[in-house]
Amino acid sequence: MNSVALVESVDHVCVRYRLAPYAAALGLEIVPFERTLLARLWQYQSLHRYDAVILQRTLLSSFELRTLRKHAREIVFDFDDAIWLRDSYSTRGVSQKRQRRFANVVRSADQIVAGNDFLAAAAARHTTPDRVAVVPSCVDIGSYAPTAKSDRPPVLVWVGSSSTLKSLEAMRPTLAAIGETFPGVRLKLICDRFARFDPLPVDAVAWSAEWEAAEIAAADIGIAVMPDDDWSRGKCGVKVLQYMAAGLPVIANPVGVHRNIIDDTITGTLAATADEWIAAVRQMHDVAHRRRMGAAGRMRVENHFSIEVGTAAWRALCEPWQRRQAC
């Protein structure tokens, strides 16, 4: 199959987890949008030579969308965020333009690929259900090598961007209580910005694709937290999948895909209150318990969120497009 993906940037995190791993299997070329409107219009006119065009995340104007539709044989809209909304910490309120553009893109696409069930349900409000499929964000489990664990006080790890660090900062009292309750426990922050959570010591690690996986695997417990809102329910839980792929048990609040990815008490713990977080850390002080949870989590990723699973899902979606192009 000869296909192309139009993306914001080839280095974007969504490209890294949702498209790049499947490029070879799908015969997929990944190209960024041209920067000016005139250049993009020329870019759209060249798309007729592809069997399918994957439009990732970008909510085009009506004019650009009509131009793209005119030249693309098949349009596949892939998204992994509640992009019709503003993020959890925005103060600007509802965006009518985003909602309108989201609806228009979904109606125009031949196939919608959503990262989770919440996103799929939002898309299905604007098209027929048969055009909507869920392909979860997946991770390359081979990139995460679990490490041997010692009897040291456990090291918590959180990985993310400066924007999502706000969610961790919102639970500062809980992290402080963990530091007070468990002397010796540390928090490793893998990010492009850092914060203090005294008395819980913080080890700051500047994020890099080169050492991200190894730094995660060297820790003992992965943590994740999201606000309880629709923007967060659109998230696809990549950091949780990274922790589990590295063989770490996870503690996360019971919001959105955390409930779907984490098998509570088996691969991690869903904790809503400070007392529940403290209880989870206390339980995970036991190395054997962490090892069992981590192994179960890694197996869950392998069976449901691995690149192999994602490849099979994308190939199944491609079959109807290939049959139509052969006619």
Side-chain angles (χ1 to χ4, degrees), residues 22 43 50 71 86 130 136 144-145 164 174 179-180 183 191 199 210 217 227 239 247 256 305 310 324:
Y22 315 117
Q43 185 179 39
Y50 295 100
H71 296 287
R86 300 193 193 278
D130 60 295
Y144 297 83
T164 55
T174 296
E180 291 173 356
C191 192
E210 182 180 353
K239 64 166 54 69
F305 301 98
R324 284 195 291 270

Side-chain angles (χ1 to χ4, degrees), residues 91-284:
T91 59
R92 291 183 291 171
V94 174
S95 170
Q96 298 294 334
K97 184 172 81 169
R98 289 189 185 194
Q99 294 186 351
R100 182 175 63 254
R101 287 191 174 190
F102 176 75
N104 288 342
V105 169
V106 169
R107 292 188 190 108
S108 297
D110 300 286
Q111 177 74 60
I112 295 89
V113 182
N116 65 36
D117 291 337
F118 175 80
L119 299 176
R125 290 195 286 269
H126 305 291
T127 189
T128 55
D130 60 295
R131 291 190 176 190
V132 183
V134 174
V135 176
S137 297
C138 296
V139 297
D140 180 5
I141 196 168
S143 297
Y144 297 83
T147 62
K149 306 303 180 183
S150 67
D151 288 329
R152 69 181 184 190
V155 174
L156 312 178
V157 63
W158 181 93
V159 60
S161 65
S162 56
S163 61
T164 55
L165 184 60
K166 295 176 182 177
S167 299
L168 198 65
E169 290 173 314
M171 64 174 295
R172 181 174 273 108
T174 296
L175 294 175
I178 290 172
E180 291 173 356
T181 307
F182 304 107
V185 170
R186 306 182 68 84
L187 171 62
K188 180 189 291 189
L189 284 185
I190 306 174
C191 192
D192 56 344
R193 181 173 72 83
F194 303 101
R196 296 181 62 172
F197 299 97
D198 299 334
L200 179 65
V202 170
D203 299 327
V205 178
W207 182 90
S208 168
E210 182 180 353
W211 56 69
E212 177 189 39
E215 287 287 353
I216 291 172
D220 300 294
I221 302 168
I223 64 172
V225 61
M226 300 188 294
D228 190 1
D229 58 24
D230 281 350
W231 172 259
S232 297
R233 279 181 270 280
K235 291 294 181 181
C236 294
V238 168
K239 64 166 54 69
V240 171
L241 296 176
Q242 290 179 281
Y243 302 150
M244 291 165 62
L248 304 186
V250 182
I251 307 174
N253 64 334
V255 173
V257 294
H258 289 171
R259 292 179 177 273
N260 300 328
I261 295 175
I262 299 167
D263 192 351
D264 194 24
T265 75
I266 305 299
T267 65
T269 300
L270 295 173
T273 67
D275 286 345
E276 289 173 352
W277 275 80
I278 289 171
V281 174
R282 178 176 288 111
Q283 188 177 42
M284 291 182 189

